[in-house]
Amino acid sequence: MAVALGVDSRRLVAYLAVHRRPQPLATLAADLWAGVESDAALRLLDEALADVDVPGLLVVDTLAGTVVLDSLVAVDLDEAMALVRLIPEVAAHEVADTTLLRADVLPSWTAPWIAVERERFRQLRLNALEDLSVRRSAAGDHEQAVALARTAVEAAPSRENARRALIEAYLAQGDLAAAVAEYDDYQELLRSSLGGPVGSGLDVLFPPSPAWPVLRGFRPTAPRSAVALPGLRAVRTPGSRRLVAGGSIPSGR
């Protein structure tokens, strides 16, 4: 059953879902209400705690001055971290569902405390996707290897390891034209970002060959209409899964 929570209560529950150890009330108040005088922040925390009227959700230790999410509460982020730890321990084909590694933690939230945890998980999930792609490719499952690496590239287009995994997956698949196109896309991204010709660690994947201009001729035409027309609103397709439930929070929360 879904339970509606106020803005501050959602922030409180989200913080405790990300930080699963008991949190000192003073630290919690300072992080959630950064810049607010400590006594006032503690009062706001008390109000938020009182508003979380869900039996069994929180465990407040008044003697220790801490609060924690009950250990029986299921959190997507915990499941995602368990998957990250599992991937190196099992055969690549045993990892069938990587849905939990395809989204950032609370992507629309802007508070400093979540930005740190989001980036930490982002690096872990991208490493896991890249590693799994390489292992899928080695096992001959080229379609899945390409899909996994493509997910990592879409999440971090400028990440060299993600591009390497995708290019190597294409090469293992025998799709040289796609590998060259991916390399060219990355080089163009670097040039546009840095303002000039640049080299990368991917250069070694393509030793000089007269075949490259020919392969580039097979590159598909880029789709048109990449810029929204004046007066029209861009619409983003929903579907990204938030790892901690709670809905949107106003900017700066």
Side-chain angles (χ1 to χ4, degrees):
M1 179 181 68
V3 177
L5 295 174
V7 171
D8 285 347
S9 297
R10 279 184 288 168
R11 294 168 65 226
L12 168 62
V13 171
Y15 188 102
L16 296 175
V18 172
H19 304 85
R20 291 307 297 258
R21 296 179 179 177
Q23 299 297 311
L25 297 177
T27 300
L28 185 55
D31 279 354
L32 290 178
W33 290 276
V36 177
E37 194 271 333
S38 59
D39 288 342
L42 284 170
R43 286 195 297 271
L44 290 170
L45 176 57
D46 286 341
E47 293 173 3
L49 286 168
D51 285 342
V52 182
D53 188 19
V54 183
L57 182 62
L58 304 181
V59 177
V60 180
D61 187 333
T62 54
L63 292 178
T66 62
V67 61
V68 66
L69 208 63
D70 190 276
S71 60
L72 296 179
V73 176
V75 178
D76 285 353
L77 182 56
D78 291 346
E79 298 174 16
M81 290 300 298
L83 179 58
V84 167
R85 291 188 290 269
L86 175 68
I87 285 175
E89 306 295 330
V90 300
H93 70 271
E94 294 183 39
V95 183
D97 187 0
T98 59
T99 303
L100 290 171
L101 304 182
R102 296 171 183 267
D104 285 331
V105 179
L106 297 171
S108 65
W109 292 31
T110 59
W113 65 266
I114 192 61
V116 172
E117 297 301 327
R118 180 189 298 126
E119 183 58 25
R120 174 176 172 270
F121 176 67
R122 179 182 175 84
Q123 295 302 319
L124 290 172
R125 75 180 181 88
L126 292 179
N127 285 337
L129 288 169
E130 293 157 3
D131 175 64
L132 194 56
S133 172
V134 170
R135 293 168 61 201
R136 285 276 196 173
S137 186
D141 189 355
H142 303 302
E143 183 177 348
Q144 276 298 309
V146 168
L148 289 163
R150 171 60 63 191
T151 298
V153 167
E154 290 173 352
S158 62
R159 183 179 170 95
E160 185 173 302
N161 284 346
R163 295 281 185 164
R164 178 185 295 275
L166 182 54
I167 290 172
E168 289 180 342
Y170 278 135
L171 291 174
Q173 192 179 38
D175 193 343
L176 296 180
V180 171
E182 195 63 37
Y183 172 81
D184 288 346
D185 283 343
Y186 183 59
Q187 291 299 111
E188 179 58 32
L189 176 63
L190 293 181
R191 281 193 294 269
S192 62
S193 299
L194 302 177
V198 292
S200 74
L202 304 182
D203 296 345
V204 297
L205 298 177
F206 297 97
S209 169
W212 303 142
V214 176
L215 290 170
R216 288 185 172 97
F218 290 98
R219 182 171 182 172
T221 303
R224 299 174 63 87
S225 186
V227 179
L229 297 176
L232 298 181
R233 296 180 60 189
V235 177
R236 182 172 298 174
T237 303
S240 60
R241 182 180 182 182
R242 288 202 173 102
L243 299 182
V244 179
S248 300
I249 291 295
S251 177
R253 293 283 184 173

